[in-house]
Amino acid sequence: MKLPKSRYYMGALPFEMCQTSPLLMPPRADMATGSHHISSFHTKQASGQHGSSNMSRSASTTMDLKSGLEECAVALNLFLSNKFTDALELLQPWAKDSMYHALGYSTIVVLQAIMTFEQQDIQNGISAMKDALQTCQKYRKKCTVVESVSSFLSRGSLEQLTEEEMHAEICYAECLLQKAALTFVQDENMINFIKGGMKIRTSYQIYKECLSILHVIQKNKIEQQFFYEFEGGVKLGIGAFNLMLSLLPARIIRLLEFIGFSGNRELGLTQLREGASGRSLRSPLCCLTILAFHTYISLILGTGEVNLAEAEGLLAPFLQQFPNGSLMLFYHARIELLKGNVEKAQEIFRKCISVQEEWKQFHHLCYWELMWIHIFQQNWMKAYYYSDLLCKESKWSKATYVFLKAAILSMLPEEDVSATKENVVTLFRQVESLKQRIAGKSIPIEKFAVRKSRRYSPSLPAPVKLVLPALEMMYIWNGFPVVCKRKDLSENLLLTVEKAEATLQNENFSDYSVDDECLVKLLKGCCLKNLQRPLQAELCFSHVIQSEKLLKFDHYLVPFTLFELAFLYKSQGEIDKAIKALETARNNYKDYSMESRLHFRIQAALHLWKKPSSD
């Protein structure tokens, strides 16, 4: 029985809510002409009054594919208008009967769980996603015990799948991927880690099978009412998988390819761009994935070379449609920051905080960004303010937040620290007890913070002060490429580093002296590189590399310095020397802090710099 058209329906709105990370939830823009704008969404329609829609539901026990797609489009509009509860209320009544309602509802619950990191919310997310998988399963092709979907599809009987069954496959794969993400953070035991890995592999296999279906439909020119929706789902899945897997270090990619995965970045971006240029519900999500890649992943796990032009093009129409949407404002601020417009970014992040109170977790994302902006500006008291808010309110990584708060306070004069009534030594000593585990493993950045904090251990005769700890963390988070567009900020950072360098030269020699000196040289080299002073930068980097055998604690400094030296060579046109430095950093060093993060960055650089034949 077909459900009457919902009072919330706004036409063919190309949207769906089915992402698990706030970093993957920006708005969408049309890739080429900007013609795919969201249909008008009036305030009255977004008010969350669901009365007549619920009355229609009471007279019906089923919801067809068309109506499910329509209502999910409306729910996403509500979500992007900061009406999070309204979106949930619209989706929840049909979450056990409609695959798209199930997907939309569970996605919001999972998103909330990942943002809060509360165990109860994680349990709620797992429960909602389990229900969503059961709902999607009801619509999937029924197979016998000896007939898996894979074997069924391989017999050339793809056309036997109904349109509804095709959509069920895509929705099931998306739900499975989200449940895997929650499985990783649910508990630290190896069984959950294996379960999560199996879910990811199953999800990927379903996407590959759906790609085969897509090719058959296109070849045979089979007409389907919502073919473009299915096509969008396939392009999102295949594109996102290939893009994300391509980021992994080469040795891991080779292993994953052996068990059936592929990690082709060009293929991934092509699929996502094609998906983004379509008119399906997944079209915006293809854009969101590309936007996240450009504004976050390329910086933290890549080279720091960001395609801001494409990012701005993706965002612009949605920023116009949802000028007060938290996600739109957040990405707007992030792009301005990467352009070097630090003060404008600051202003937009503050606006992002003010526009809604329903989901405080969005505030925490802005606190994190504002903290870093003030670190870039060396406004230490304001940076402390936001680090303190994160310590008090966010559950994501207490060890990292407390370490950062102590590191920021370490940059202040003693009298300013006293005014905060904080004890820096006590804060550093708290870090180890706050460390957590995800998927059975410690978080690398927390392990780094714990190692650095050990200089304040009660077992030592006296605390050994860290040198420029806030700037060291800024380096680890790849902050120097962000400030490179601002000469004034780079010059001020250089002055601070040179002051620390002079102080070190006047101190008595200790076990930590060489490590501290090499850290300062690395930071100084980064500042000089930003200021286009390559010869002086190279001298600093060379000093670190030549001191390798004298280092006692911070062994990460040498491979990371080789990475910076490679970029220096690249900027001077010496591409062969640059690649050699990267390969030396990758192949000659292991078991150092933040090793995986550096390997991600090396992989990204080699991918960009090597000729296709040598990839």
Side-chain angles (χ1 to χ4, degrees), residues 293-296 298-299 303-309 311 338 485:
F293 176 73
H294 289 325
T295 61
Y296 269 99
S298 292
L299 195 77
T303 62
E305 298 166 316
V306 179
N307 189 341
L308 289 177
L338 296 178
K485 294 187 173 70

Side-chain angles (χ1 to χ4, degrees), residues 294-306 308 334-342 372 376 471-487 489-490 493 522-523 525-532 541 560 563-564 567 597 601:
H294 289 325
T295 61
Y296 269 99
I297 297 167
S298 292
L299 195 77
I300 296 171
L301 298 180
T303 62
E305 298 166 316
V306 179
L308 289 177
R334 181 69 184 170
I335 290 170
E336 291 299 330
L337 176 60
L338 296 178
K339 287 165 64 178
N341 300 328
V342 176
W372 284 113
F376 300 156
L471 299 191
E472 184 177 19
M473 284 295 273
M474 174 181 158
Y475 175 76
I476 292 296
W477 283 98
N478 220 10
F480 282 89
V482 177
V483 298
C484 74
K485 294 187 173 70
R486 289 286 296 266
K487 185 179 178 182
L489 296 180
S490 293
L493 287 166
L522 172 58
L523 297 176
C526 290
C527 293
L528 292 166
K529 181 159 66 81
N530 279 355
L531 293 167
Q532 306 299 313
F541 295 148
F560 272 84
F563 180 80
E564 298 300 333
F567 271 80
R597 185 169 295 193
R601 292 178 184 172

Side-chain angles (χ1 to χ4, degrees), residues 115-119 364 390-398 401 436 446:
M115 291 183 73
T116 65
F117 232 58
E118 295 276 4
Q119 276 302 313
H364 301 158
L390 287 167
C391 286
K392 291 174 179 175
E393 297 183 16
S394 177
K395 298 288 180 67
W396 254 88
S397 177
K398 290 286 188 182
Y401 297 148
Q436 59 186 334
E446 291 191 351

